[in-house]
């Protein structure tokens, strides 16, 4: 009985503390929510405008910078940790400039000494062959991501995927470049970016067969649960290459949505469907693009475009027929 009473008293104390914390973030006058104004250093009620706190401490830097170069020059802290580097960015890196702290050029003997220091520093950054392989793989991911214009967030995700594959022991029997390419493509698919398999093959050091086999392998073993790509993700990229209008893109997106409802996309290449939707939308909005033009911009054959655009237009016609007959059926029932 004493134990239960002690437990109940403890629960009441916790509830009272939580209530007190919640009340502190409420306006003492009207009970409204509080917002912080960092520019003025004040905490203000969003409802009645009461200034609850003022002259707050600014925890930011004491200096000001007007561009990224000046910010980097004045900053006294290092870069944040990142999974894109094998040591997460925690090691020391000796710059390549042969100048001292005052900007003066080093002498010949000092340059030779600094070059030896760079060499040994590079050797010490990797302790064994596994770290050297990880460094090589992450460098490949960064190189391919930069060539394809993949944002840094997706490259960071690709680095995490590769590290998971390494921890799960999925690399033996497969090339580092193949797994690195597969990890980057998995991150691209997760972020719904428009890069295709053909784009990956252009920047990868392995062929398409090895890359796709490695992608299917890590997708299955790591249970990434990446679904098939959405054809609509490629519309903006293709429209930009063809200099198409916004109206055409909107119409192409509608065609793809209608095609999905009719299950036209099942078993079809999403890139081919996107190219066909661009071509079909051009016909509908009187912004005609030849099949050869669309084929050259999207790297999809004219045969595929011709077959798929007809299927999309047939699905659109069937959808319009259903919508036209629906009001007539309801009126007949009435």
């Amino acid at each position: 009985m004493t134990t239960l009473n002690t437990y109940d008293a403890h629960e009441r104390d916790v509830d009272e503390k939580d209530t007190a914390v919640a009340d502190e973030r409420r306006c003492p006058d009207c009970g409204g929510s509080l917002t912080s104004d960092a520019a003025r250093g004040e905490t203000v009620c969003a409802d009645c405008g009461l200034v609850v706190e003022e002259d707050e401490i600014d925890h930011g830097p004491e200096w000001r910078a007007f561009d990224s170069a000046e910010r980097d020059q004045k900053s006294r802290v290092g870069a944040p940790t990142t999974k894109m580097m094998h040591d997460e960015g925690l090691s020391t890196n000796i710059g390549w400039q042969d100048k001292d702290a005052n900007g003066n050029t080093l002498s010949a003997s000092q340059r030779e000494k600094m070059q030896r220091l760079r060499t040994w520093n590079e050797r010490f950054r990797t302790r064994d062959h596994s770290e050297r392989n990880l460094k090589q793989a992450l460098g490949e991911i960064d190189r391919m991501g930069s060539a394809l214009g993949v944002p840094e967030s997706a490259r960071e995700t690709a680095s995490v995927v590769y590290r998971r594959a390494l921890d799960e022991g999925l690399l033996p029997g497969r090339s580092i470049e193949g797994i690195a390419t597969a990890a980057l493509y998995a991150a691209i698919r997760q972020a719904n970016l428009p890069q295709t398999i053909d784009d990956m093959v252009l920047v990868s050091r392995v062929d398409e067969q090895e890359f796709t086999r490695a992608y299917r392998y890590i997708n299955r073993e790591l249970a990434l649960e990446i679904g098939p790509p959405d054809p609509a993700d490629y519309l903006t990229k293709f429209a930009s290459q063809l200099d198409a209008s916004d109206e055409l893109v909107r119409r192409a997106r509608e065609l793809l949505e209608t095609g999905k409802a009719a299950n036209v996309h099942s078993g079809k290449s999403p890139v081919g469907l996107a190219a066909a939707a661009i071509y079909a939308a051009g016909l509908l909005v009187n912004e005609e693009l030849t099949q050869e033009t669309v084929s050259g911009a999207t790297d999809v054959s004219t045969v595929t475009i011709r077959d798929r655009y007809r299927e999309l237009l047939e699905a659109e016609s069937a959808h319009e027929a259903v919508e036209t007959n629906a009001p007539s059926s309801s009126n007949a029932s009435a």
Side-chain angles (χ1 to χ4, degrees):
M1 187 67 178
T2 305
T3 304
L4 291 175
N5 292 337
T6 305
Y7 177 79
D8 293 339
H10 174 71
E11 289 293 317
R12 286 195 299 272
D13 292 340
V14 171
D15 292 340
E16 290 175 358
K17 290 179 180 179
D18 292 342
T19 303
V21 171
D23 291 341
E24 289 177 359
R25 301 305 303 167
R26 291 289 178 179
C27 176
D29 191 11
C30 68
S33 59
L34 302 180
T35 59
S36 296
D37 188 347
R40 295 183 174 85
E42 299 174 345
T43 300
V44 185
C45 176
D47 296 335
C48 67
L50 175 67
V51 178
V52 180
E53 296 179 5
E54 58 183 349
D55 297 330
E56 296 178 352
I57 298 175
D58 183 6
H59 296 280
E62 80 284 1
W63 44 263
R64 293 190 302 169
F66 300 97
D67 54 33
S68 59
E70 186 179 3
R71 187 180 302 108
D72 294 339
Q73 181 181 5
K74 291 184 176 182
S75 177
R76 296 187 293 272
V77 297
T81 58
T82 173
K83 296 294 183 181
M84 295 172 59
M85 301 182 69
H86 72 283
D87 52 11
E88 299 188 5
L90 297 176
S91 62
T92 301
N93 187 28
I94 301 177
W96 56 270
Q97 299 93 341
D98 290 325
K99 294 183 180 180
D100 60 14
N102 296 321
N104 301 320
T105 304
L106 301 179
S107 63
S109 61
Q110 288 176 324
R111 288 198 300 270
E112 185 179 352
K113 179 180 179 181
M114 292 303 300
Q115 185 58 40
R116 289 198 301 270
L117 286 174
R118 290 191 192 98
T119 301
W120 281 105
N121 179 68
E122 196 65 23
R123 292 174 181 172
F124 289 144
R125 288 182 67 184
T126 53
R127 295 173 296 180
D128 49 30
H129 72 281
S130 62
E131 283 197 358
R132 285 192 294 271
N133 292 343
L134 178 60
K135 180 182 177 183
Q136 177 187 350
L138 298 181
E140 276 292 293
I141 290 174
D142 189 50
R143 179 190 66 82
M144 292 185 293
S146 299
L148 293 172
V150 176
E152 188 172 333
S153 59
R155 279 181 269 169
E156 186 95 18
T157 303
S159 303
V160 174
V161 172
Y162 184 89
R163 288 174 182 271
R164 284 188 58 195
L166 181 63
D167 294 338
E168 295 289 337
L170 304 183
L171 266 68
R174 290 169 176 81
S175 66
I176 294 174
E177 292 82 1
I179 298 295
T181 308
L184 179 60
Y185 185 63
I188 287 173
R189 291 281 296 276
Q190 287 181 336
N192 296 324
L193 297 176
Q195 283 77 13
T196 64
I197 291 179
D198 294 334
D199 295 332
M200 300 297 302
V201 173
L202 290 176
V203 299
S204 177
R205 301 186 193 274
V206 297
D207 56 25
E208 180 178 350
Q209 183 179 7
E210 182 179 352
F211 148 55
T212 53
R213 186 185 296 121
Y215 169 72
R216 288 192 298 267
Y217 178 64
I218 67 170
N219 191 16
R220 181 181 66 253
E221 296 296 326
L222 298 180
L224 298 178
E225 297 182 356
I226 301 175
D230 189 350
D233 293 337
Y234 303 107
L235 290 180
T236 304
K237 174 185 175 182
F238 293 163
S240 175
Q241 293 173 344
L242 293 166
D243 196 22
S245 64
D246 293 340
E247 183 183 2
L248 186 147
V249 176
R250 179 185 60 79
R251 196 71 180 90
R253 200 176 301 276
E254 292 176 354
L255 287 173
L256 288 176
E257 292 297 328
T258 306
K260 287 181 188 177
N263 205 28
V264 172
H265 67 295
S266 180
K268 308 295 193 308
S269 169
V271 180
L273 280 173
I278 291 286
Y279 176 72
L283 298 177
L284 295 177
V285 300
N286 296 324
E287 190 175 331
E288 295 188 9
L289 300 169
T290 64
Q291 295 178 8
E292 288 76 10
T293 303
V294 177
S295 175
T298 61
D299 200 21
V300 177
S301 68
T302 55
V303 177
T304 301
I305 294 174
R306 189 157 49 246
D307 293 341
R308 299 295 169 263
Y309 101 86
R310 288 171 180 167
E311 294 175 357
L312 290 174
L313 290 182
E314 288 174 1
E316 179 73 8
S317 300
H319 177 70
E320 291 178 353
V322 170
E323 287 189 342
T324 304
N325 294 331
S328 301
S329 300
S330 60
N331 293 334
S333 301

